[in-house]
């Protein structure tokens, strides 16, 4: 429905609006596009774009700004392709290559913080890999009178701990028995295999130690359930809170209920996804750009940024894609090495 001239005008309005944050008039479009038509013709085309829902006019005397529909059309068809330079690749690589122990969690966390710093948006990450990982170590550490720290380590590199307070002190014999019992029954087990029924059976199998050791068993189960739960983490919250283009109340509500975007992140596994407030996201006048992280052929999570609708998509999208694809390669190679070693 749109001819080349109208598409050029729409692209010019989006580019100018991203740059200035102000409504864009026909003269600015004429200067940016170099179109050999009158300002009146450009205004007429902008009016058509407004009727189609791609532009809107905040005030009768002002220029136009893009709607979320206009932004979507721009991203899908009009945005200039931009390749990351070698210098940018070295800069992005430095955030991941300097990690002392490059576990999945550490890689994703580092990329998330880097994106928040580089884009001045909030970075969002969902790491679902832990729920598919295997429990590699469990340990009970006495830390004081009737106090014990429960430690759980998974094959994804996740380390979880929990303080467990008992009504009595455990003997060394009880601790030794429980350590061996956990090693035999939980270590090597996938997080997703754990269930209420399995824990009940294991609790019964404690036999004469059931009364004393059941609180520890329940504590480890809670740790495992935490690893298997949907978890959305946000870095760079300050960048959101200082953003004047998004309502502060909506920002706070999002930060308090960030796991509500889990479903939207789960739908990002077909490539780059750009979602706007109008798509059901929790903040109006905002956008969320996410890209999947893969471990082999399996979904391992997603990585992206959240910011105002007016962000530099042509710069930010390649950064997100680069980080996600590199992390996917690194964790897949690590997984392949583990299989080979086994």
């Amino acid at each position: 429905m749109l001819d080349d001239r109208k598409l050029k005008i729409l692209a010019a309005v989006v580019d100018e609006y991203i740059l200035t944050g102000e409504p864009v008039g026909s003269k600015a479009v004429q200067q940016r596009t170099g179109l050999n038509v009158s300002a009146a013709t450009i205004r007429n085309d902008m009016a058509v774009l407004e009727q189609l829902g791609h532009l809107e006019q905040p005030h009768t005397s002002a220029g136009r700004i893009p709607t979320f529909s206009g932004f979507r059309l721009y991203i899908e068809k009009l945005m200039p392709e931009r390749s990351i330079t070698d210098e940018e690749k070295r800069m992005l690589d430095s955030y991941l290559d300097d990690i002392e122990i490059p576990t999945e969690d550490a890689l994703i966390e580092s990329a998330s913080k880097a994106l928040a710093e580089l884009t001045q948006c909030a970075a969002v990450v969902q790491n679902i890999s832990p729920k598919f990982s295997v429990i590699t170590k469990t340990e009970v550490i006495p830390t004081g009178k009737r106090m014990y720290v429960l430690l759980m380590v998974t094959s994804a590199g996740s380390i979880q701990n929990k303080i467990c307070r008992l009504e009595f002190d455990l003997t060394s014999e009880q601790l030794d028995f429980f350590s061996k019992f956990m090693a035999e029954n939980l270590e090597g087990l996938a997080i997703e295999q754990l269930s209420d029924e399995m824990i009940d059976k294991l609790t019964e199998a404690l036999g004469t130690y059931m009364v004393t050791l059941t609180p520890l068993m329940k504590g480890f189960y809670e740790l495992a359930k935490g690893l298997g739960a949907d978890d959305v983490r946000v870095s760079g919250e300050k960048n959101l809170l200082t953003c004047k283009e998004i309502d502060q109340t909506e920002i706070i509500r999002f930060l308090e209920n960030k796991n509500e975007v889990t479903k939207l992140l789960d739908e990002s596994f077909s490539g780059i996804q750009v979602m706007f407030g109008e798509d059901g996201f929790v903040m109006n006048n905002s956008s969320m750009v996410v890209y999947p992280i893969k471990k082999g052929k399996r979904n391992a999570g997603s990585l992206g940024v959240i910011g105002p609708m007016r962000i530099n998509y042509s710069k930010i999208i390649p950064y997100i894609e680069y980080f996600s694809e590199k992390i996917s390669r690194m964790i897949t190679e690590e997984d392949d090495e583990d299989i080979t070693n086994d």
Side-chain angles (χ1 to χ4, degrees):
M1 293 179 63
L2 295 176
D3 56 36
D4 286 345
R5 190 177 68 204
K6 291 184 180 63
L7 290 174
K8 285 182 181 178
I9 290 172
L10 176 60
V13 172
V14 174
D15 286 333
E16 188 71 15
Y17 181 65
I18 287 174
L19 184 65
T20 67
E22 300 293 334
V24 182
S26 56
K27 289 184 179 179
V29 171
Q30 197 170 39
Q31 291 174 352
R32 183 173 276 274
T33 60
L35 286 170
N36 190 25
V37 294
S38 68
T41 299
I42 291 175
R43 283 195 294 274
N44 288 337
D45 284 347
M46 291 171 74
V48 172
L49 289 166
E50 184 178 359
Q51 291 172 357
L52 293 172
H54 300 311
L55 298 179
E56 63 181 350
Q57 193 171 26
H59 310 288
T60 53
S61 59
R64 268 89 172 178
I65 63 175
T67 64
F68 82 97
S69 175
F71 269 113
R72 188 175 299 286
L73 181 58
Y74 171 84
I75 293 166
E76 291 176 352
K77 294 185 177 180
L78 307 175
M79 186 174 68
E81 289 189 16
R82 180 181 178 277
S83 299
I84 295 180
T85 65
D86 290 339
E87 183 179 351
E88 285 177 310
K89 287 180 182 178
R90 286 191 292 271
M91 180 265 294
L92 297 177
D93 286 342
S94 67
Y95 287 98
L96 302 181
D97 294 343
D98 293 339
I99 300 174
E100 187 174 345
I101 304 176
T103 63
E104 290 177 40
D105 268 351
L107 289 168
I108 294 173
E109 185 71 17
S110 182
S112 174
K113 290 179 179 178
L115 279 175
E117 177 185 330
L118 295 168
T119 66
Q120 288 302 293
C121 294
V124 60
V125 59
Q126 182 189 34
N127 184 7
I128 65 173
S129 190
K131 68 173 67 177
F132 302 115
S133 62
V134 170
I135 300 170
T136 56
K137 183 179 180 180
T138 57
E139 189 173 351
V140 181
I141 306 168
T143 57
K145 189 174 180 60
R146 300 177 182 177
M147 288 183 59
Y148 300 86
V149 171
L150 310 182
L151 181 71
M152 179 178 284
V153 183
T154 73
S155 56
S158 299
I159 301 174
Q160 297 288 322
N161 60 74
K162 175 184 177 67
I163 294 177
C164 190
R165 292 178 174 85
L166 302 181
E167 296 180 0
F168 36 74
D169 288 313
L170 297 177
T171 66
S172 57
E173 180 186 354
Q174 289 170 325
L175 284 172
D176 289 342
F177 170 84
F178 189 71
S179 296
K180 291 177 182 177
F181 184 86
M182 295 297 285
E184 291 173 0
N185 291 282
L186 281 194
E187 292 179 14
L189 194 70
I191 294 290
E192 61 179 339
Q193 290 180 280
L194 284 176
S195 64
D196 292 340
E197 184 180 359
M198 176 180 288
I199 292 299
D200 288 341
K201 289 181 179 178
L202 289 176
T203 301
E204 290 179 13
L206 290 172
T208 56
Y209 292 110
M210 186 168 64
V211 174
T212 54
L213 298 179
T214 291
L216 298 184
M217 178 66 74
K218 289 183 177 178
F220 274 114
Y221 186 37
E222 289 172 5
L223 286 178
K225 285 200 296 184
L227 286 167
D230 290 323
D231 181 33
V232 175
R233 284 173 281 172
V234 176
S235 300
E237 296 94 329
K238 184 179 178 181
N239 295 334
L240 267 186
L241 291 167
T242 56
C243 177
K244 297 180 180 179
E245 296 174 50
I246 306 176
D247 184 87
Q248 289 286 304
T249 304
E250 294 181 352
I251 294 172
I252 293 170
R253 188 171 70 239
F254 161 70
L255 293 174
E256 290 177 343
N257 303 281
K258 52 184 178 289
N259 281 334
E260 290 182 4
V261 302
T262 296
K263 184 179 178 183
L264 293 175
L265 292 172
D266 287 342
E267 295 171 351
S268 70
F269 294 122
S270 58
I272 196 75
Q273 295 286 328
V274 181
M275 288 160 276
F276 299 101
E278 287 79 355
D279 293 326
F281 189 40
V282 291
M283 296 183 292
N284 291 313
N285 199 31
S286 67
S287 65
M288 179 168 68
V289 186
V290 289
Y291 196 81
I293 295 172
K294 300 279 188 177
K295 189 171 186 178
K297 296 181 179 180
R298 191 182 71 210
N299 299 330
S302 53
L303 175 70
V305 300
I306 297 172
M309 195 154 56
R310 185 182 65 88
I311 59 175
N312 190 342
Y313 296 96
S314 63
K315 177 182 178 180
I316 288 174
I317 287 175
Y319 281 6
I320 296 171
E321 289 178 329
Y322 187 82
F323 270 133
S324 300
E325 290 173 358
K326 176 159 186 175
I327 291 172
S328 295
R329 288 195 303 272
M330 292 176 75
I331 64 177
T332 298
E333 289 168 2
E334 181 186 7
D335 201 37
D336 290 341
E337 287 176 6
D338 290 341
I339 292 172
T340 302
N341 293 334
D342 289 344

